[in-house]
Amino acid sequence: MKPVVLFDAGRLLDRSAREAPTGVDRVCLAYAEWLAARRDIGMIPVATVRNRLRAVDPAHCRRAIRILRKRWSGDGPETTIERALIRALTSQSPGPSILDVEPGAAPLSLRRVRSVSQALTSRPLPPPAPGQAYISVGHTALDTPAILADLSRRGVSTTIMIHDLIPITHPEFCRPGDRARHHRRASNALRHADRIIVNSAYTASQLLAFAAGEDLRQPPVKAIPLGLEPVFLTRGTTPSPRPYFVHVGTIEARKNLAFLLTLWRRLQERLGPATPGLVLVGRYGWENEAVLDHLQRSPNLQGLVHQSAGLSDASLARLMRGARAVVAPSSIEGFDLPAVEAMAMGVPLIASDIAVHRELVSGARLIDPLDGLGWLSALQAATDSPPVAPDYAPPTWTAHFDQVAAFIGLPD
C-alpha cells in the first residue's frame, strides 16, 4: 500500500491570485509539485479552515498548482512592466521613477476572502489513520495546538518547516502582534511535531536556542537548504551599458532599504548623471514608511530608483543578469533566496555581513549592514568596473527532497 501524505496546501491556495511568489510561496509550490509527481505516494491536499483541517478537492489543488507554476515561471517573452523597467534603466535621459501603487485598505479583508474561498473548495477530512504523514511548510496549522495534537494522537507522523525566528528574535522589524503569533507557532511546532525542517544552520540554532530558553522539547531538527528554480541555475550575465543594481524582497524594515536609499542619494550627489540605477523588486510590506518617503519624495532619486512587484521568474532572472550586482543589505534573514539565486547565476552579490550570508553566500562581497562608507565604496567600485562573481555550487530541489525523504522516512 502506498504511503499517504496529508499536505497542507492552504497557503498555496491563498496565493492563487498573486502574480509573483514570496520565498515561502516558492517552497509551498515546490513541495506540492514534488509530492503530486510521486506515483509511489498518495497525496491528500488539506487546508486549515477555522482551526480545523479540511480536505481540499484534489482536482482544484492540481489546477491551482498548474496555474501558479505557469504564472510564476513566466517562460514567455518580456512583459510590459519588464520592458518599461529596461527602458527606464537604459535611457540616457531618465524619466519619472516606476513605482507600484501603494496598496490601500481593501473593503473586504484578505483573511475573510481566504476563509470563504477555502470553505467553498474544501470538505470534511476523514479521520486520519495511523501510519499516515502530515507535512506543512507554510507556517500553517500552527496557530493552535489542536491540529498537531490531534494528528499525533491518531498516530500520524507530523513534519513542520520553520523558515525563521525573526518575529521572536527581532520583533522591531515586524508588525505589532507578530512576535506573540510566531512565539505560539514555534512553541506548538516544538511541542507537537515529530520532526522539524529548517532552511539553514542559522535558523536551526535560533530554533534550538528558543526551545532551550522556553524549556520546550526538542524534536529532531534538520537544516536542509532550499532549492532553486531552473531559470536561476544557469550561469551567465548580460550587463547593461548603463549600470544598475537590483534588490529582491518584500519592502519591509528588516531589509534595510531606507539605509540603501540613503546611500543612493549620496551616490547621486557624488556621481551626478553617472549615478547607476536601482530596482527594488518586491511587494510593499510593513514598517516601510521611511522607504516610501524616499521613493515618493526625494528629488535626487527620481528616475534613478524604481520599484515593481509581479515579475515572473523569467523576467526577474533577465533583470538580475543585466545588473552590475544584486544588493542584499538585510539586517536579518533566515535564508535569503534572492542572494543564493544571484550567486547561482554568476551575478555579483554585495550583501550584509550577517550569519546567514556567511553560511550560504560566503564568496560574495560581505559588508556590515551599518557600514555606510563600506557600502558606498563597494557600490561605486562596481559601477566603475563590473565585478566578477566567484564560482558557486547552488543548492537544488533534487538534493533538498532527497534529504527530506530520508529525514521523514519516505521511500527513496
Side-chain angles (χ1 to χ4, degrees), residues 293-377:
D293 287 344
H294 278 288
L295 291 175
Q296 296 171 348
R297 295 162 50 192
S298 173
N300 299 67
L301 302 183
Q302 295 306 302
L304 286 176
V305 180
H306 310 273
Q307 177 270 328
S308 179
L311 292 182
S312 68
D313 288 349
S315 294
L316 178 59
R318 285 191 290 263
L319 188 68
M320 292 168 72
R321 290 179 190 279
R324 275 289 201 270
V326 167
V327 290
S330 300
S331 299
I332 186 72
E333 291 285 353
F335 186 79
D336 202 350
L337 194 57
V340 176
E341 290 167 345
M343 292 288 285
M345 290 191 293
V347 177
L349 173 67
I350 305 172
S352 54
D353 188 3
I354 57 176
V356 160
H357 289 157
R358 291 192 293 271
E359 176 187 345
L360 299 173
V361 291
S362 60
R365 177 76 167 89
L366 300 184
I367 309 170
D368 188 284
L370 296 179
D371 182 4
L373 293 178
W375 275 86
L376 272 175
S377 176

Side-chain angles (χ1 to χ4, degrees), residues 74-375:
D75 295 328
E78 291 182 350
T79 62
T80 301
I81 184 62
E82 184 184 356
R83 286 195 296 270
L85 282 171
I86 295 301
R87 281 199 302 270
L89 291 166
T90 57
S91 172
Q92 295 304 312
S93 302
S97 293
I98 297 172
L99 302 177
D100 275 359
V101 177
E102 183 180 358
L108 186 64
S109 74
L110 282 176
R111 186 178 299 276
R112 183 178 169 194
V113 170
R114 292 168 181 168
S115 176
V116 170
S117 172
Q118 292 191 355
L120 292 174
T121 58
S122 64
R123 63 185 185 277
L125 178 69
Q132 292 182 347
Y134 168 79
I135 298 176
S136 174
V137 297
H139 287 174
T140 45
L142 298 180
D143 289 309
T144 170
I147 291 176
L148 292 181
D150 181 64
L151 290 171
S152 182
R153 281 193 301 269
R154 295 179 181 277
V156 175
S157 173
T158 54
T159 300
I160 301 297
M161 178 178 284
I162 299 292
H163 292 266
D164 60 64
L165 276 289
I166 292 171
I168 298 172
T169 60
H170 295 75
E172 65 273 21
F173 293 138
C174 304
R175 292 170 293 194
D178 274 3
R179 186 180 192 278
R181 185 181 188 191
H182 208 61
H183 186 287
R184 185 168 61 250
R185 287 174 165 178
S187 299
N188 288 334
L190 288 164
R191 287 191 179 103
H192 301 289
D194 290 299
R195 62 194 64 80
I196 296 176
I197 298 170
V198 293
N199 48 22
S200 65
Y202 172 73
T203 302
S205 69
Q206 294 294 293
L207 180 63
L208 294 176
F210 171 76
E214 298 288 322
D215 198 23
L216 294 168
R217 67 185 280 267
Q218 297 184 13
V221 174
K222 188 170 183 62
I224 309 177
L226 305 177
L228 304 185
E229 301 303 321
V231 72
F232 299 109
L233 289 174
T234 303
R235 290 180 68 87
T237 60
T238 54
S240 167
R242 183 167 175 253
Y244 68 87
F245 295 76
V246 173
H247 174 274
V248 184
T250 303
I251 298 176
E252 55 185 328
R254 69 184 177 89
K255 298 297 185 180
N256 207 20
L257 295 179
F259 168 81
L260 184 64
L261 293 179
T262 300
L263 295 177
W264 235 263
R265 179 179 179 119
R266 183 61 59 87
L267 280 175
Q268 193 278 333
E269 291 169 351
R270 283 186 179 184
L271 303 179
T275 308
L278 172 66
V279 185
L280 307 180
V281 181
R283 298 164 58 88
Y284 290 110
W286 43 91
E287 302 294 336
N288 58 21
E289 291 81 3
V291 174
L292 293 177
D293 287 344
H294 278 288
L295 291 175
Q296 296 171 348
R297 295 162 50 192
S298 173
N300 299 67
L301 302 183
Q302 295 306 302
L304 286 176
V305 180
H306 310 273
Q307 177 270 328
S308 179
L311 292 182
S312 68
D313 288 349
S315 294
L316 178 59
R318 285 191 290 263
L319 188 68
M320 292 168 72
R321 290 179 190 279
R324 275 289 201 270
V326 167
V327 290
S330 300
S331 299
I332 186 72
E333 291 285 353
F335 186 79
D336 202 350
L337 194 57
V340 176
E341 290 167 345
M343 292 288 285
M345 290 191 293
V347 177
L349 173 67
I350 305 172
S352 54
D353 188 3
I354 57 176
V356 160
H357 289 157
R358 291 192 293 271
E359 176 187 345
L360 299 173
V361 291
S362 60
R365 177 76 167 89
L366 300 184
I367 309 170
D368 188 284
L370 296 179
D371 182 4
L373 293 178
W375 275 86

